Amino acid sequence: MHERTDVVIVGSRCAGAAAAIAFARRGRKVVALDGASFPSDTLSTHLFFPNHWEELELLGARDRVLELGAPLHTRAGLASPGVEVVGNFSKANGFDVGACVRRPGLDLALVQTARAEGAEVRERTRVTDLVFDPDGRVAGIRYRQRDGGEGTITAKLVVGADGRRSTIARLVGTTEHHRWDNQRMMAYAYYEDAHQDLRNLAMQWRYDDDLVTVFPCDGGQLVALLMPPVSRADEFRRDAEAAFLDTVRRIPPFSSRLHDCNRVSKILISYSHPSYFRHSHGPGWALAGDAGHFKDPVTAQGIRDALRFGRLLGETTAAHLDEPEALDAALARWEVDRDEQCLPMYQWANQLGRDDTVSPVEDAAYRWFASQPDGPTQILDVFSRNRLATEVFTPRRLVRWVWAAAREPGADRGLLLRTLRRDVRREVDRIVEQRMFNRRRAASAKKLAAKRPVFTPDVQRV
């Protein structure tokens, strides 16, 4: 079977569905393919901040997602031993609540919205190869259905929205020009939530080198998420149940929150989930969502960015699909915009995802934010993308926190000095990475262009 369309999207979850919606709204013929069927689950933190709701509203999917019944998080917080920083969200274009929505319902709502806009979404269909034109431009895909049927779809643009292990990224040969190996693993499970009075509160606790969270979600449940250092991976490989429960017992407020809550799922684990930027466009192709960029899940930003930049991909390029040179220029602008918006959060997530214990400076920072009337909101504003981390965690405040830590009875001045040196070194590394970013991305693009296919007359092509 051979078909023609304007856009083929590989992957139909957050980024793919958002792109399909945006292209279809602009009158483009869209075919989106996914190897899964919907509803179905996928590994994800699935926590929302106010800016997530903003993106769902822009896509026309908010009401469908609200109908899933997830409790709205009117408050959120972070805590370490002896201190809690809990407060309210600022508004993000009118939205001032978070939530946690399980992926089967969320992804189905997005697929339904894409179909309502006129996009064709095909399930149980996997892409096996790309189609190129004589100039080496991507011109379509080959696919295989679960029942064995095969076919080819030619298109003006192929969008890979197929996740971290993207088939499209592999087939075009793109590489990561920035990468950060995760220092924390993930293990999470669902519980029936026995504490109705806490259904509006999302919490994170850091005790020693443990980082754990509770997010109330739809279905009367909550997600208990552990992010221990990857050095403990063998404990979970040997006995995930014992390692999970041992972590819960080590953190008193976390254990208290889960008291009387019954686990209703298996323990889901990710040991390796490095952060990266990949060069994400080329002649006739683009990568959206995790296929092109992934940040440490400690900040729970993946869904928001998948929705936002999937949508912006369609809005930026739909008008240029009939003009290859204009399309390529629009794709380049889209990638630069994505990277400029995402780099600050990528860097902050990599800092938060380190396997550090809570340092004296961090403890002083927690206490200072807890003492300020709007302190919790300032931190939540970073998660909601209302402020940059560098606007909240400033050098002047760092001096204040170091001074406060040094004045604590029994303060270990040697430890404090080592921590300060470490943090200054990391900040220098962050600045260097930021300044070198565009140069490294350009080098990656140049390297990829050199590998562009060259066809001879005996090679099959479209």
Side-chain angles (χ1 to χ4, degrees):
M1 181 182 294
H2 182 88
E3 306 167 74
R4 295 184 183 273
T5 190
D6 289 328
V7 183
V8 170
I9 300 173
V10 183
S12 303
R13 295 189 186 269
C14 294
I21 291 167
F23 280 114
R25 279 181 177 172
R26 285 154 183 78
R28 292 300 187 171
K29 186 178 179 182
V30 181
V31 177
L33 312 174
D34 203 291
S37 56
F38 299 99
S40 59
D41 206 357
T42 188
L43 201 68
S44 171
T45 52
H46 48 284
L47 180 67
F48 285 16
F49 297 106
N51 54 1
H52 288 68
W53 291 114
E54 177 188 2
E55 290 302 323
L56 289 168
E57 174 76 5
L58 291 170
L59 289 167
R62 187 194 64 165
D63 290 346
R64 282 189 176 91
V65 175
L66 284 172
E67 288 172 0
L68 298 171
L72 299 180
H73 300 163
T74 58
R75 293 170 65 78
L78 304 91
S80 64
V83 60
E84 287 190 346
V85 187
V86 179
N88 302 316
F89 294 102
S90 295
K91 285 190 175 181
N93 288 337
F95 299 92
D96 61 357
V97 295
C100 183
V101 184
R102 291 177 296 174
R103 290 299 296 268
L106 172 64
D107 294 349
L108 178 60
L110 291 167
V111 167
Q112 290 171 334
T113 303
R115 285 172 170 157
E117 293 288 351
E120 181 180 355
V121 181
R122 301 182 189 175
E123 305 171 39
R124 302 183 179 90
T125 304
R126 293 192 179 278
V127 169
T128 58
D129 206 349
L130 292 173
V131 173
F132 295 86
D133 72 8
D135 297 321
R137 185 180 188 86
V138 172
I141 57 93
R142 293 185 175 88
Y143 68 83
R144 180 180 298 113
Q145 297 170 323
R146 197 172 295 180
D147 63 6
E150 297 182 349
T152 300
I153 306 175
T154 54
K156 299 165 184 176
L157 177 65
V158 173
V159 177
D162 47 345
R164 292 186 289 133
R165 297 174 178 84
S166 168
T167 296
I168 302 305
R170 174 177 57 80
L171 291 173
V172 298
T174 190
T175 57
E176 300 164 356
H177 55 82
H178 281 73
R179 177 186 170 102
W180 176 267
D181 289 329
N182 57 291
Q183 295 187 1
R184 293 184 179 274
M185 53 173 283
M186 289 197 308
Y188 68 89
Y190 295 95
Y191 288 73
E192 291 180 343
D193 195 351
H195 303 284
Q196 292 301 311
D197 57 323
L198 297 175
R199 297 281 289 160
N200 70 324
L201 175 64
M203 279 297 298
Q204 177 195 102
W205 293 272
R206 284 188 62 201
Y207 272 55
D208 196 17
D209 61 358
D210 276 313
L211 189 157
V212 298
T213 64
V214 165
F215 307 141
C217 65
D218 53 303
Q221 298 179 12
L222 62 80
V223 182
L225 169 67
L226 318 183
M227 297 190 72
V230 292
S231 58
R232 292 193 202 149
D234 286 345
E235 297 176 25
F236 284 81
R237 290 190 176 100
R238 283 194 300 269
D239 190 335
E241 181 93 12
F244 195 97
L245 294 177
D246 183 57
T247 304
V248 173
R249 284 191 291 266
R250 281 201 302 269
I251 304 169
F254 185 49
S255 179
S256 176
R257 179 62 179 87
L258 295 180
H259 183 66
D260 289 336
C261 298
N262 297 317
R263 184 158 62 87
V264 293
S265 77
K266 64 180 182 180
I267 297 169
L268 304 166
I269 300 176
S270 172
Y271 296 107
S272 177
H273 39 265
S275 306
Y276 53 79
F277 283 91
R278 289 177 180 143
H279 180 60
S280 297
H281 82 279
W285 63 270
L287 301 178
D290 291 351
H293 164 56
F294 182 80
K295 59 181 66 65
D296 195 291
V298 69
T299 55
Q301 298 292 317
I303 290 175
R304 180 266 186 185
D305 284 348
L307 297 174
R308 180 174 182 81
F309 295 104
R311 172 178 62 82
L312 289 176
L313 177 62
E315 294 177 359
T316 302
T317 64
H320 305 293
L321 293 177
D322 303 311
E323 308 165 273
E325 289 186 5
L327 173 60
D328 293 348
L331 290 170
R333 291 194 300 272
W334 167 81
E335 181 174 353
V336 169
D337 179 52
R338 181 202 67 183
D339 292 353
E340 288 179 348
Q341 292 190 46
C342 290
L343 179 59
M345 181 57 71
Y346 168 86
Q347 292 188 313
W348 191 52
N350 289 343
Q351 292 293 331
L352 293 184
R354 292 179 181 270
D355 58 1
D356 301 328
T357 59
V358 180
S359 73
V361 177
E362 288 174 308
D363 182 68
Y366 274 104
R367 295 178 187 281
W368 184 84
F369 280 112
S371 71
Q372 304 300 305
D374 68 338
T377 301
Q378 289 187 46
I379 298 177
L380 293 175
D381 274 351
V382 182
F383 286 97
S384 295
R385 311 285 266 274
N386 285 335
R387 310 188 200 196
L388 294 174
T390 51
E391 296 171 354
V392 175
F393 302 93
T394 64
R396 176 174 292 184
R397 288 179 175 179
L398 176 61
V399 171
R400 178 195 297 268
W401 300 331
V402 170
W403 178 246
R407 295 177 63 188
E408 283 291 313
D412 185 336
R413 302 295 176 86
L415 173 61
L416 186 59
L417 182 59
R418 290 192 298 273
T419 300
L420 184 59
R421 286 174 176 169
R422 180 200 69 185
D423 291 347
V424 169
R425 184 172 61 252
R426 289 176 178 177
E427 178 61 11
V428 170
D429 290 343
R430 184 195 68 80
I431 293 171
V432 170
E433 179 183 58
Q434 182 183 50
R435 292 181 176 178
M436 293 292 292
F437 186 88
N438 290 340
R439 186 181 302 179
R440 291 170 179 166
R441 180 181 58 205
S444 177
K446 184 177 180 179
K447 181 180 178 181
L448 182 62
K451 297 192 297 184
R452 187 172 174 181
V454 177
F455 291 95
T456 55
D458 61 337
V459 176
Q460 183 181 3
R461 58 194 185 275
V462 171

